[in-house]
Amino acid sequence: MSGGNRAVAYIKPGEVDVRTIDYPTLELKDGPGVARDNVGRVCRHGVILKILATNICGSDQHMVRGRTTAPEGLVLGHEITGEVIERGPDVEFIEVGDIVSVPFNIACGRCRNCKERKTGICLNVNPARPGAAYGYVDMGGWVGGQAEYVMVPYADFNLLRFPDRDAARDKLLDLTMLSDIFPTGYHGAITAGTKVGSTVYVAGAGPVGLAAAAAAQLLGAAVVIVGDLNGERLAQARSFGCETVDLTQGALDEQIAQIVGEPEVDVAVDAVGFEARAHRPDAEEAPATVLNSLMRVVRAGGALGIPGLYVTEDPGGVDQDAKTGTLKVRLGLGWAKSHEFTTGQCPVMKYHRELMMAILHDKVHIAKAVNATVIRLDDAPRGYAEFDQGASRKYVLNPHGALDGVKAA
């Protein structure tokens, strides 16, 4: 197959557009954001996917708001589920016709980090730094998947093949969350030490925060509390059994005490990241707010999972420090309380198979938890605009109609 490929591209701050780009091949060609040393990289180990579902992520919003150095024309999208329609000559185990989930981290499977299951910081896929992703600034320039078709390298290693095509089609709206937000939320919960009986606080009721809350429930938490400034998103958290705190309505520790009887929790997850705001109505941006608040409410000896995105360059930062990712974090408080911190990209492959099994066997309904909402590829600009305004939805793009008529169950 050849021809065009319609895709969502970043144009300028606040604007995306659906454009026709080249149909993918098994070679990474020059284009917006492609690392110079990756141009011409031949991927005999890759496949071409027909995309069945691809999601808008909060990380994409950081770029669209102009909070990164993303170039004009960068094709967006790192949450991809698709059907294999072409495979490279070095692919052994993935077959044409397989329905697969694509981890957002691109990993070679050969380097030291990959062999240690640290696939978020593969050493061989991005000439600029460890780690790569589809459709993301400074992550190697691999073309994004908010499109009709996409190329995936190192297919045998990267792809999670669903064992039954019909079951995958039936659960596609849940399974599309395996590429990023469900493993990312799970990573936040599990690295913070969530276990049976834990009290858990999740900062942020966006899709990753809701996924972290659902993951904490799956892990057996006794109480899961979600905090946010957005009432609609807090209502979504309550819809599947979470307690909530409205951060415009009083001190976090006092509201936690009203729920669990003491002003602290065992476990906390930062699902907000560097665009955090102070905890009050009409609050200004204060990027260290969440990290500092979590250190206050996590018990001594507890831990913080930090899947929320922090960056090394933020052109829209509130001050010169913030523009370089330098935050005023109360590390002394965390040190005094012997806190453990886990940061960085989620290594999706560490978790996605077990989470797939939980979905296929009805142990979790992640699409319902995050309020998955299917829209057409052409409606992506509207989805970005509504998400930016705080809509409590996880927008799922439907390029080929595989999700026609489907709603979260």
Side-chain angles (χ1 to χ4, degrees), residues 231-250:
E232 182 184 347
R233 289 183 169 186
L234 292 174
Q236 180 62 27
R238 289 192 294 273
S239 75
F240 61 99
C242 298
E243 301 285 346
T244 60
V245 295
D246 184 337
L247 297 167
T248 70
Q249 299 298 314

Side-chain angles (χ1 to χ4, degrees), residues 101-103 105-108 134 152-160 349 352:
S101 177
V102 184
N105 344 87
I106 301 169
C108 71
Y134 305 89
V152 174
Y154 303 103
D156 282 326
F157 183 67
N158 280 300
L159 294 178
L160 175 67
M349 292 175 65
H352 64 174

Side-chain angles (χ1 to χ4, degrees), residues 8 15 21 62 100 113 153 206 243 279 369 386 396:
V8 181
E15 184 178 342
I21 63 171
H62 295 308
V100 295
N113 285 346
E243 301 285 346
H279 292 171
E386 292 178 359
V396 179

Side-chain angles (χ1 to χ4, degrees), residues 11 16 27 57 116 135 164 223 274 301 310 321 350 377 391:
I11 307 304
V16 301
E27 178 182 338
C57 180
E116 293 178 356
D164 183 286
V223 181
F274 74 104
Y310 289 88
D321 283 341
K350 190 173 182 179
L377 187 68

Side-chain angles (χ1 to χ4, degrees), residues 79-93:
E79 301 189 14
I80 305 164
T81 306
E83 179 180 358
V84 178
I85 58 173
E86 179 184 339
R87 68 177 198 166
D90 290 349
V91 177
E92 292 187 69
F93 306 112

Side-chain angles (χ1 to χ4, degrees), residues 190-213:
I190 206 165
T191 56
T194 306
K195 57 186 178 182
V196 173
S198 295
T199 55
V200 181
Y201 174 65
V202 179
V208 170
L210 296 172

Side-chain angles (χ1 to χ4, degrees), residues 5 21 28-29 34 75-77 80 133-135 141-145 149-151:
N5 178 22
I21 63 171
L28 186 54
K29 298 178 180 178
V34 179
V75 174
L76 302 168
I80 305 164
Y134 305 89
W142 301 89
V143 178
Y149 304 94
V150 73
M151 189 269 282

